[in-house]
Amino acid sequence: MAGVSIVDVGVLVSETQAFISSAGYTYCNSPKLADSDYTDLSAFEFTRQADNSSEIERTFFHFDNAAALSDGDDVILYLAFGCAFADQNYDVAEANCVGRAVRALLCDPNGQISDPAVGRCKLLSEMHVDPNGFSGGPVFAIVFDGHLTLKFAGVINRAGGSFVHFIKAPYVRRLLDFAVSSYAI
């Protein structure tokens, strides 16, 4: 979040051309995890806005434990999605246009790295774009558990070379659970 004001974080609603700002945010500030990339993850609160608008609600992923990848799952393939800055067409001042482009990356599982909160996968083909802007994109996994199943694997925190690094789903869930308990009335 370095260099980004909290008031500049929100959801663009295409149908109404509205910008909906978040109602707050949560991040990890634990000294125990100070050396982990987990501290790069932030969660923004949009519950009230989503409850009041089906346009906003349908842009969010319904995250439950059954949909989350766990370390014991047999991953066949990862699907990572990101919005490279070079692909975006933001011409708000002149043409009132926000052209968004999403790239899909296919990746092989690539073992555990030293940070237990972070997963890594290796691209199946060369990335032909600067990955700057991919951070925050979702990563899904196709797993075999008697049949093929799609599960949420995590959130990209960095990409480059031949690899995508992501905060694993259980750690994303941990931050979201903390956020929900913090915002409970």
Side-chain angles (χ1 to χ4, degrees):
M1 297 236 336
V4 176
S5 170
I6 189 71
V7 297
D8 291 334
V9 175
V11 176
L12 293 171
V13 182
S14 299
E15 293 84 0
T16 59
Q17 296 184 339
F19 175 80
I20 309 298
S21 61
S22 76
Y25 70 101
T26 301
Y27 62 96
C28 175
N29 193 18
S30 169
K32 292 179 185 177
L33 298 169
D35 293 334
S36 173
D37 281 348
Y38 178 57
T39 59
D40 288 344
L41 187 64
S42 297
F44 292 86
E45 175 64 34
F46 288 97
T47 303
R48 288 184 191 106
Q49 297 93 320
D51 287 347
N52 293 323
S53 170
S54 62
E55 291 173 310
I56 297 171
E57 191 271 336
R58 72 173 173 249
T59 65
F60 288 90
F61 177 72
H62 294 276
F63 187 19
D64 61 30
N65 288 332
L69 184 69
S70 63
D71 284 338
D73 286 329
D74 182 17
V75 177
I76 308 279
L77 183 73
Y78 283 105
L79 306 160
F81 298 90
C83 299
F85 290 142
D87 290 340
Q88 308 314 305
N89 179 21
Y90 299 131
D91 188 8
V92 178
E94 297 294 322
N96 197 24
C97 170
V98 177
R100 294 173 284 176
V102 179
R103 284 195 185 245
L105 305 170
L106 300 176
C107 304
D108 272 334
N110 195 261
Q112 180 61 38
I113 59 175
S114 61
D115 187 340
V118 178
R120 178 177 71 181
C121 58
K122 184 174 172 117
L123 293 167
L124 288 175
S125 61
E126 188 176 333
M127 189 181 318
H128 295 286
V129 67
D130 179 351
N132 191 11
F134 275 47
S135 297
V139 179
F140 294 92
I142 297 173
V143 301
F144 186 76
D145 57 1
H147 58 282
L148 294 178
T149 304
L150 184 69
K151 292 190 174 187
F152 175 67
V155 176
I156 297 171
N157 74 315
R158 57 190 154 94
S162 299
F163 296 97
V164 173
H165 293 83
F166 55 94
I167 307 297
K168 292 179 182 178
Y171 289 85
V172 173
R173 182 64 185 225
R174 182 182 299 172
L175 184 65
L176 293 176
D177 287 345
F178 175 76
V180 168
S181 68
S182 298
Y183 288 110
I185 296 174

